[in-house]
Amino acid sequence: MESHPDHDLIKAQFQELEKLDSLEKLDSFIEENQLGGRIKAFYTKYPQVDFRLSVADIEKLKSMKIINEDHRLEMLNFPEDPLSKLLAAVLWKNGDIYKVQHLVDGITGREGDRTKYSLILKQYGASLATDEEPIVDQHVLRAYEIYNLAKVSFTTVHNIKRKSIYKSSDRPLLNAYKAWFKKVIDKVPKPEQSDFKEKLDKVLFLFGKNVKS
């Protein structure tokens, strides 16, 4: 089996993370790997979200006819307050109006993916509904896929590094990652798990981003 420097590095990093069983040890890992500044920079673009969205919240929006039975936003029924209109304007301008559908699917636990590109956004919806589900993005999955390779070659690692979109066909990989993530979190004392999860996610994000071609 071939080796690859990016695989060797990520495998070593994941193995170190698997040994951590406290927030203090994770903080030391972040300091030793000089990740603190980059994590701080991450939050300047993506401020931490500290709220939940439940099935009951979605049902309320349905009763107001803001979300329809297909989980799409009904723009003509949008609230008239300035904040709602401002957020709707951003969604519309970015072409993201109908992406909300996948987010709602994740919150409500709807089975199946509406498109092959809904995997990541649907998982984010699931993470908003419960602490049990992690946030997972393309960079995190890239890092985990390289770490989890059964057979390493320059070609396989190179192809993963160039991969920018994870699709429905990658759900087995997502499920394997979630099992790995839970195994790591379960070793941490309960009072520390929330902060540990948040920081671990950012560390894995940076690992995946580091190897992207």
Side-chain angles (χ1 to χ4, degrees):
M1 183 170 69
E2 296 179 29
S3 65
H4 190 290
D6 289 329
H7 169 266
D8 295 345
L9 175 61
I10 281 186
K11 193 170 184 68
Q13 290 170 328
F14 268 74
Q15 288 173 339
E16 284 298 309
L17 290 173
E18 289 170 350
K19 299 174 185 177
L20 306 180
D21 57 8
S22 71
L23 187 59
E24 181 181 6
K25 291 180 181 178
L26 178 57
D27 285 337
S28 295
F29 178 90
I30 289 171
E31 184 177 353
E32 289 166 7
N33 287 272
Q34 300 180 326
L35 298 174
R38 295 182 65 195
I39 291 174
K40 185 177 180 180
F42 174 93
Y43 285 118
T44 63
K45 185 174 182 180
Y46 301 102
Q48 187 171 350
V49 173
D50 189 21
F51 62 78
R52 290 281 170 259
L53 281 166
S54 66
V55 174
D57 292 327
I58 301 305
E59 290 303 319
K60 182 177 180 180
L61 291 173
K62 284 183 178 180
S63 72
M64 299 166 65
K65 301 190 184 303
I66 295 171
I67 290 178
N68 63 28
E69 290 303 316
D70 271 343
H71 293 170
R72 285 192 170 194
L73 284 175
E74 291 286 2
M75 294 301 295
L76 295 179
N77 297 330
F78 228 67
E80 288 296 317
D81 65 278
L83 179 58
S84 294
K85 289 191 287 186
L86 182 63
L87 296 179
V90 173
L91 287 172
W92 183 88
K93 185 66 176 67
N94 289 335
D96 291 337
I97 284 291
Y98 293 129
K99 289 183 181 179
V100 172
Q101 183 183 44
H102 308 310
L103 197 69
V104 175
D105 284 349
I107 294 167
T108 59
R110 179 186 181 274
E111 292 293 327
D113 298 327
R114 296 182 191 271
T115 78
K116 62 182 179 181
Y117 301 109
S118 62
L119 182 73
I120 298 299
L121 196 53
K122 188 176 179 183
Q123 176 60 31
Y124 179 52
S127 76
L128 290 175
T130 173
D131 283 333
E132 299 300 314
E133 294 284 347
I135 299 173
V136 183
D137 81 340
Q138 313 286 355
H139 294 304
V140 169
L141 280 185
R142 183 184 306 108
Y144 181 76
E145 186 173 11
I146 292 175
Y147 159 72
N148 200 44
L149 280 173
K151 186 176 181 180
V152 179
S153 72
F154 268 77
T155 299
T156 54
V157 174
H158 177 71
N159 288 342
I160 294 170
K161 288 173 63 176
R162 295 187 62 189
K163 190 173 180 179
S164 60
I165 299 176
Y166 282 82
K167 305 174 185 177
S168 293
S169 57
D170 294 301
R171 184 164 292 282
L173 178 69
L174 172 63
N175 290 337
Y177 168 72
K178 291 199 295 181
W180 178 88
F181 193 87
K182 184 177 187 303
K183 186 176 179 180
V184 173
I185 297 299
D186 283 347
K187 293 188 297 185
V188 178
K190 286 284 185 184
E192 298 181 0
Q193 286 185 0
S194 180
D195 287 339
F196 192 100
K197 281 176 60 178
E198 176 69 23
K199 291 185 178 182
L200 178 60
D201 174 75
K202 302 307 169 285
V203 168
L204 295 172
F205 170 89
L206 293 175
F207 286 172
K209 193 168 184 180
N210 283 346
V211 297
K212 188 177 186 302
S213 293

